[in-house]
Short mmCIF file of all heavy atoms in Angstrom, two decimals:
data_model
loop_
_atom_site.label_atom_id
_atom_site.label_comp_id
_atom_site.label_asym_id
_atom_site.label_seq_id
_atom_site.Cartn_x
_atom_site.Cartn_y
_atom_site.Cartn_z
N ILE A 91 -16.76 8.66 -16.59
CA ILE A 91 -16.37 7.55 -17.48
C ILE A 91 -17.30 7.51 -18.68
O ILE A 91 -16.86 7.39 -19.82
CB ILE A 91 -16.35 6.21 -16.73
CG1 ILE A 91 -15.17 6.19 -15.76
CG2 ILE A 91 -16.28 5.04 -17.72
CD1 ILE A 91 -15.06 4.93 -14.95
N ASN A 92 -18.61 7.59 -18.45
CA ASN A 92 -19.54 7.59 -19.57
C ASN A 92 -19.29 8.78 -20.49
O ASN A 92 -19.37 8.66 -21.71
CB ASN A 92 -20.98 7.58 -19.07
CG ASN A 92 -21.38 6.24 -18.49
OD1 ASN A 92 -20.72 5.24 -18.72
ND2 ASN A 92 -22.45 6.22 -17.73
N ASP A 93 -18.98 9.94 -19.92
CA ASP A 93 -18.67 11.12 -20.73
C ASP A 93 -17.45 10.87 -21.60
O ASP A 93 -17.44 11.22 -22.79
CB ASP A 93 -18.43 12.34 -19.84
CG ASP A 93 -19.69 12.83 -19.15
OD1 ASP A 93 -20.80 12.40 -19.54
OD2 ASP A 93 -19.56 13.63 -18.20
N GLN A 94 -16.40 10.27 -21.04
CA GLN A 94 -15.19 9.99 -21.81
C GLN A 94 -15.47 9.02 -22.95
O GLN A 94 -14.97 9.19 -24.07
CB GLN A 94 -14.10 9.39 -20.90
CG GLN A 94 -13.52 10.37 -19.91
CD GLN A 94 -12.53 9.69 -19.00
OE1 GLN A 94 -11.52 9.19 -19.46
NE2 GLN A 94 -12.84 9.67 -17.71
N ILE A 95 -16.28 8.00 -22.68
CA ILE A 95 -16.60 7.01 -23.71
C ILE A 95 -17.46 7.65 -24.80
O ILE A 95 -17.20 7.44 -25.99
CB ILE A 95 -17.30 5.79 -23.08
CG1 ILE A 95 -16.28 5.02 -22.22
CG2 ILE A 95 -17.91 4.89 -24.16
CD1 ILE A 95 -16.87 3.93 -21.36
N GLU A 96 -18.44 8.46 -24.42
CA GLU A 96 -19.25 9.15 -25.42
C GLU A 96 -18.39 10.06 -26.29
O GLU A 96 -18.54 10.07 -27.52
CB GLU A 96 -20.35 9.97 -24.75
CG GLU A 96 -21.51 9.14 -24.28
CD GLU A 96 -22.65 10.01 -23.76
OE1 GLU A 96 -23.34 10.62 -24.61
OE2 GLU A 96 -22.84 10.05 -22.54
N ASN A 97 -17.49 10.81 -25.69
CA ASN A 97 -16.60 11.69 -26.46
C ASN A 97 -15.72 10.90 -27.41
O ASN A 97 -15.51 11.30 -28.55
CB ASN A 97 -15.74 12.55 -25.52
CG ASN A 97 -16.55 13.61 -24.82
OD1 ASN A 97 -17.59 14.03 -25.31
ND2 ASN A 97 -16.09 14.03 -23.66
N TYR A 98 -15.21 9.78 -26.94
CA TYR A 98 -14.38 8.92 -27.80
C TYR A 98 -15.20 8.43 -29.00
O TYR A 98 -14.74 8.52 -30.15
CB TYR A 98 -13.85 7.73 -27.00
CG TYR A 98 -13.22 6.68 -27.87
CD1 TYR A 98 -11.96 6.88 -28.42
CD2 TYR A 98 -13.89 5.51 -28.17
CE1 TYR A 98 -11.38 5.91 -29.24
CE2 TYR A 98 -13.32 4.54 -28.97
CZ TYR A 98 -12.07 4.74 -29.51
OH TYR A 98 -11.50 3.79 -30.32
N LEU A 99 -16.40 7.92 -28.75
CA LEU A 99 -17.22 7.38 -29.84
C LEU A 99 -17.64 8.47 -30.82
O LEU A 99 -17.77 8.20 -32.02
CB LEU A 99 -18.44 6.65 -29.28
CG LEU A 99 -18.13 5.34 -28.55
CD1 LEU A 99 -19.39 4.77 -27.91
CD2 LEU A 99 -17.47 4.33 -29.48
N ARG A 100 -17.84 9.69 -30.36
CA ARG A 100 -18.17 10.80 -31.26
C ARG A 100 -17.03 11.10 -32.23
O ARG A 100 -17.25 11.55 -33.35
CB ARG A 100 -18.51 12.05 -30.46
CG ARG A 100 -19.90 12.02 -29.90
CD ARG A 100 -20.30 13.39 -29.35
NE ARG A 100 -21.47 13.24 -28.54
CZ ARG A 100 -21.50 13.35 -27.22
NH1 ARG A 100 -20.43 13.68 -26.56
NH2 ARG A 100 -22.62 13.17 -26.56
N ARG A 101 -15.80 10.91 -31.78
CA ARG A 101 -14.63 11.18 -32.63
C ARG A 101 -14.35 10.06 -33.62
O ARG A 101 -13.66 10.27 -34.61
CB ARG A 101 -13.39 11.42 -31.76
CG ARG A 101 -13.45 12.70 -30.94
CD ARG A 101 -12.12 13.00 -30.27
NE ARG A 101 -11.56 11.90 -29.51
CZ ARG A 101 -11.77 11.68 -28.20
NH1 ARG A 101 -12.55 12.49 -27.52
NH2 ARG A 101 -11.20 10.66 -27.59
N GLU A 102 -14.85 8.88 -33.35
CA GLU A 102 -14.62 7.72 -34.21
C GLU A 102 -15.60 7.72 -35.38
O GLU A 102 -16.71 8.25 -35.26
CB GLU A 102 -14.81 6.42 -33.41
CG GLU A 102 -13.73 6.16 -32.40
CD GLU A 102 -12.41 5.82 -33.04
OE1 GLU A 102 -12.32 4.79 -33.72
OE2 GLU A 102 -11.45 6.60 -32.86
#
Side-chain angles (χ1 to χ4, degrees):
I91 289 179
N92 287 343
D93 291 346
Q94 290 176 62
I95 291 170
E96 283 187 74
N97 289 335
Y98 169 76
L99 291 174
R100 281 191 194 109
R101 292 189 308 269
E102 290 290 296

